Amino acid sequence: MISNNGGSTDGKSSHRNTGSKGSPCMVRVGPRRLPVYSLVVACLGLLNAFLLLAAVVIGIHCGNVSERPSLYQLTPQMLIEEVKQLQAITKETMKSQQEAQQLLEQEIKSHEQVKHQLKQNKSLSDNIQRQIEALRVEKATLQSDSANIMQSCGRCLPGFLLLNTSCYFHGRFPSVPLKNWTDSRADCISRGADLAVIDNFDEQVNLFEYLPKIQVLGRYIRPWGLGGLWIGLTDIQTEGKWVWVNNATLQGSGYWLDGQPDNDGALGEDCAALWNVNNSGRRTWYDAGCQKTKEWLCERKPI
């Protein structure tokens, strides 16, 4: 047991332990009394030995740890390898992107070539169509000229004109008064004919060339007043179902002007007229009120 100056086991005064002035301090350790500094030196020695032993143990442990490979331990060589791999991946990616871009450009170029070819084909088709129509007009003109030559041969009645295989009579103002659709048909019947039936494009073009044309400066003008002449087509029986005077139903879309027939007006428009606008023989028809008065066109077979 160690005790200090603060107490004594035998109850004696602490003055016995201190000694005279300048003598070292003593402590009791069991039955023995030892100087204080000797005890301190001994303790420090033990502490130093313990710390030295701990340092040795820690050093050995750190050495073992440093010899083991670590997942987070990177060397410059490893970083260089990683950079090379990334560069290789980037290079391959850029190469693939360039190849894809080249393929896309080739597809775009091919698409443009196809569009250009289609445009050329359409232009060629339009030119051919215009040439065909020009030839038809020329044919109709020649037929009209030949009809004028053959008129005196007695194949048509007086006042009728031979065009192709039909004889036509044009009830023309002011030599004759204008008539409504019903009276116009009655006049044709009295002449051994009927209102004209236009059942093919050649006949349409023939009439376009023969009949007087109206100048409209390239614009569509609604044919009010004296415009046009009656032909033998009507939908008076069933609205929208156009029937010729020979009871044949109109086949195809006909040769109507743009926007016609429109059945305009309070009483409707149930009779067809031909308005020879000076632009194209393909569009000359329009619908009008049957009570309107106009010129008219009769047709009959040659004698």
Side-chain angles (χ1 to χ4, degrees):
M1 178 179 178
I2 300 175
S3 62
N4 55 22
N5 295 336
S8 173
T9 57
D10 53 6
K12 296 181 179 180
S13 174
S14 61
H15 293 287
R16 296 180 181 180
N17 296 332
T18 58
S20 62
K21 184 178 180 180
S23 62
C25 297
M26 305 294 287
V27 294
R28 182 181 296 274
V29 180
R32 300 179 61 185
R33 295 176 60 194
L34 296 176
V36 174
Y37 72 88
S38 298
L39 185 59
V40 171
V41 170
C43 291
L44 290 175
L46 290 174
L47 180 61
N48 189 28
F50 176 76
L51 292 175
L52 181 60
L53 179 61
V56 171
V57 173
I58 292 174
I60 294 172
H61 177 72
C62 291
N64 293 334
V65 171
S66 63
E67 292 176 358
R68 298 174 185 174
S70 174
L71 296 176
Y72 302 100
Q73 186 176 6
L74 296 176
T75 64
Q77 186 63 32
M78 293 173 63
L79 292 174
I80 292 173
E81 292 297 328
E82 289 288 338
V83 170
K84 288 182 178 180
Q85 291 178 3
L86 291 175
Q87 288 177 343
I89 293 173
T90 303
K91 185 177 180 180
E92 290 296 326
T93 302
M94 293 180 64
K95 182 179 179 181
S96 299
Q97 184 179 5
Q98 291 175 354
E99 291 176 352
Q101 182 67 27
Q102 290 176 355
L103 290 175
L104 178 60
E105 291 175 355
Q106 291 176 359
E107 289 295 329
I108 293 174
K109 185 177 180 181
S110 176
H111 180 68
E112 291 296 331
Q113 290 176 349
V114 171
K115 286 177 60 179
H116 181 68
Q117 186 65 38
L118 289 175
K119 185 176 180 181
Q120 287 182 337
N121 291 342
K122 185 179 184 303
S123 177
L124 180 61
S125 176
D126 292 342
N127 289 334
I128 293 174
Q129 185 64 33
R130 284 194 293 267
Q131 291 176 6
I132 291 174
E133 292 193 2
L135 290 174
R136 285 179 172 176
V137 171
E138 184 178 356
K139 175 184 175 183
T141 302
L142 293 174
Q143 289 174 339
S144 178
D145 293 340
S146 64
N148 291 331
I149 295 174
M150 296 177 63
Q151 185 175 10
S152 61
C153 296
R155 300 187 63 192
C156 294
L157 296 175
F160 283 77
L161 177 65
L162 180 65
L163 293 176
N164 203 1
T165 59
S166 293
C167 297
Y168 296 93
F169 174 82
H170 181 189
R172 187 179 304 179
F173 181 84
S175 59
V176 294
L178 301 177
K179 300 180 183 296
N180 60 33
W181 190 87
T182 302
D183 291 342
S184 296
R185 186 182 185 192
D187 179 83
C188 290
I189 293 174
S190 70
R191 299 174 186 273
D194 207 336
L195 287 172
V197 175
I198 305 172
D199 51 13
N200 60 71
F201 184 70
D202 287 339
E203 184 177 10
Q204 170 75 12
V205 174
N206 280 330
L207 294 175
F208 176 77
E209 287 299 313
Y210 164 69
L211 296 173
K213 299 179 180 61
I214 302 171
Q215 299 289 339
V216 293
L217 301 178
R219 296 184 300 109
Y220 171 72
I221 300 176
R222 183 174 177 82
W224 294 112
L226 302 180
L229 61 158
W230 293 121
I231 58 176
L233 185 63
T234 179
D235 69 341
I236 196 168
Q237 296 296 329
T238 303
E239 180 60 34
K241 182 180 181 181
W242 291 91
V243 180
W244 294 104
V245 291
N246 63 359
N247 293 324
T249 302
L250 174 64
Q251 300 298 317
S253 58
Y255 306 105
W256 299 97
L257 289 164
D258 292 337
Q260 298 294 318
D262 59 2
N263 198 38
D264 192 22
L267 299 178
E269 296 177 330
D270 298 322
C271 294
L274 187 154
W275 199 52
N276 214 25
V277 184
N278 188 17
N279 53 14
S280 170
R282 186 174 290 278
R283 295 182 177 86
T284 60
W285 303 354
Y286 70 98
D287 61 338
C290 299
Q291 72 281 4
K292 301 287 185 181
T293 57
K294 301 181 182 298
E295 298 178 1
W296 66 98
L297 184 66
C298 302
E299 179 184 6
R300 61 163 292 164
K301 292 184 179 298
I303 298 174

